[in-house]
Amino acid sequence: MNKPIITKQGSLLERAAEVYDFSARLNARAIPESDLQAPPVLKPVAPATVVETPKPVETPSAAAAPVETRAAPIARPAPVPPVALPVAGRQAKIDRDLLAENQLLVPGAAIGVLAEEFRLAKRHLLLTARQLNKHEPDKARTILVCSAKPGDGKTYCAINLAISMAAERETRVLLVDADFAKPGIMERLGVADGPGLLDALADPSIDIEKCVVGTDIPNLSLLPAGARTNADVELVASGRTPDLIARLLAADPERVVIFDSPPALSASPASVLALHVGQVMLVVRADKTSEGEIRDTVQRLEGCEHIQLLLNSVAFAPGGARFGSYYGQEDEGQ
Ligand SMILES: Nc1ncnc2c1ncn2[C@@H]1O[C@H](COP(=O)(O)OP(=O)(O)OP(=O)(O)O)[C@@H](O)[C@H]1O
Ligand SMILES: [Mg+2]
């Protein structure tokens, strides 16, 4: 089996490396630590830790894509019309107040540090996906969000990444709750739970597409974890998992599938899922995850060759709201 490729880019890690001693190996992005008592205020990351990251072009997605010129000429690119989701299952409304309460990205809100951080993380993942697309086009569209231990911020980061990525042109995001023991995505978005991945794994007669829940966030749909059984681990490890992933990808050629997973050091499904995805976004809790834990986690996820680190809850220096002043305006997406 190939060793995971972990490459270092970005100055954040030069700081983090002092703690983790990974200076020659890792990719990282920083997510600012939040003050949970006073949502939605975020403690920004020190500018130097973020802005010198490799240069994924930071153009808003609407400006990056070709402009339709047959319509009346306009000076700026036309806003992206919301694309109807080809979802076979039910439709749900995402509770924006709950998003704000949970300090998650709120589509349509002013762009702040958090949104900008996820833009950078997203760009990096998309660039790697583009490379992967040359050889493994299906895998290129799958991302596993994982971490070493419970509470590191996997679900928080998976939701934010999904919301950020859904704002991309020509990308539809399916956020899959693959944390069967502690599913949290539906609840955190204020969407009623329902049949999901485990049900489709357990019962081949269930069409997994019918479990997909469309949302009122353009280009974002959800797949619940489904009903637990005593055989969750065996089900995920079965040959049906790659089949179902293939089915989800085949259902929509523009679809990117993001899996929120259980912690790699406490449960095995993350290692299994890592075998089937193109990239892993490994959430590292800046104030908690030790170097040894990162190494152990990377080892568990070695089925995937592309592991990107994302530092969560970074609070190197308050007062570096570098992006806020540039993105104070309303934005149509994140
Ligand atoms: N950067 C952050 N800013 C604000 N809140 C955060 C941040 N990161 C995590 N949290 C909060 O910390 C708590 C734990 O995060 P989360 O549930 O995402 O962790 P997890 O890794 O998915 O945990 P589990 O392994 O139990 O599923 C949640 O209440 C989440 O909202
Ligand atoms: Mg979680």
Side-chain angles (χ1 to χ4, degrees):
M1 187 171 297
N2 292 327
K3 281 264 173 258
I5 296 168
I6 309 176
T7 45
K8 175 239 174 199
Q9 290 178 42
S11 63
L12 173 62
L13 196 62
E14 288 160 14
R15 304 280 297 273
E18 290 167 18
V19 180
Y20 296 120
D21 188 28
F22 268 30
S23 56
R25 304 185 62 212
L26 302 174
N27 255 337
R29 291 290 179 276
I31 303 306
E33 181 182 48
S34 305
D35 181 348
L36 295 169
Q37 302 307 310
V41 179
L42 297 162
K43 287 184 192 166
V45 179
T49 63
V50 180
V51 211
E52 293 172 17
T53 47
K55 250 333 188 200
V57 185
E58 267 319 291
T59 343
S61 57
V67 180
E68 174 59 70
T69 49
R70 278 173 295 167
I74 45 172
R76 295 177 47 178
V80 187
V83 180
L85 281 165
V87 169
R90 68 189 153 109
Q91 291 284 331
K93 195 168 157 29
I94 291 193
D95 185 338
R96 285 3 186 228
D97 292 339
L98 197 57
L99 289 181
E101 204 177 296
N102 285 321
Q103 302 186 41
L104 292 156
L105 290 177
V106 181
I111 299 291
V113 174
L114 185 67
E116 191 55 30
E117 293 298 347
F118 275 98
R119 273 183 169 173
L120 289 168
K122 158 180 87 172
R123 288 271 167 256
H124 201 83
L125 291 160
L126 289 172
L127 282 174
T128 306
R130 201 179 300 163
Q131 293 303 314
L132 276 170
N133 186 48
K134 293 175 191 158
H135 308 289
E136 298 182 287
D138 280 348
K139 260 195 172 180
R141 296 193 283 134
T142 52
I143 298 167
L144 176 70
V145 179
C146 192
S147 80
K149 292 190 301 183
D152 289 334
K154 295 176 289 299
T155 303
Y156 175 86
C157 292
I159 292 174
N160 280 335
L161 179 67
I163 289 175
S164 183
M165 239 181 218
E168 288 292 304
R169 279 197 168 206
E170 293 164 5
T171 298
R172 283 185 284 267
V173 177
L174 174 63
L175 177 58
V176 178
D177 198 336
D179 189 350
F180 309 116
K182 256 171 84 181
I185 286 177
M186 307 304 276
E187 187 185 344
R188 223 164 289 181
L189 298 179
V191 176
D193 208 355
L197 181 55
L198 274 179
D199 302 287
L201 279 169
D203 182 352
S205 72
I206 292 178
D207 178 1
I208 195 164
E209 268 307 305
K210 298 233 168 84
C211 302
V212 172
V213 181
T215 76
D216 61 337
I217 294 181
N219 299 328
L220 178 66
S221 54
L222 312 169
L223 180 63
R228 289 198 73 185
T229 71
N230 289 333
D232 296 357
V233 173
E234 289 75 16
L235 282 173
V236 179
S238 76
R240 272 193 58 72
T241 297
D243 290 349
L244 288 180
I245 294 174
R247 162 94 177 97
L248 291 170
L249 293 170
D252 181 354
E254 311 285 5
R255 183 179 266 173
V256 171
V257 184
I258 298 174
F259 296 90
D260 180 26
S261 74
L265 297 184
S266 329
S268 61
S271 319
V272 174
L273 287 167
L275 292 166
H276 306 302
V277 297
Q279 298 184 71
V280 171
M281 186 170 94
L282 179 54
V283 177
V284 173
R285 185 83 193 209
D287 50 343
K288 283 192 192 155
T289 319
S290 71
E291 180 186 335
E293 285 166 345
I294 298 179
R295 289 188 191 284
D296 289 349
T297 307
V298 166
Q299 213 167 14
R300 297 249 176 141
L301 301 172
E302 69 178 357
C304 179
E305 289 183 48
H306 298 271
I307 299 177
Q308 324 276 357
L309 284 201
L310 186 138
L311 291 185
N312 189 23
S313 277
V314 173
F316 288 130
R322 178 120 170 194
F323 294 110
S325 55
Y326 292 94
Y327 294 94
Q329 77 280 22
E330 290 290 309
D331 189 71
E332 59 191 336
Q334 303 289 348

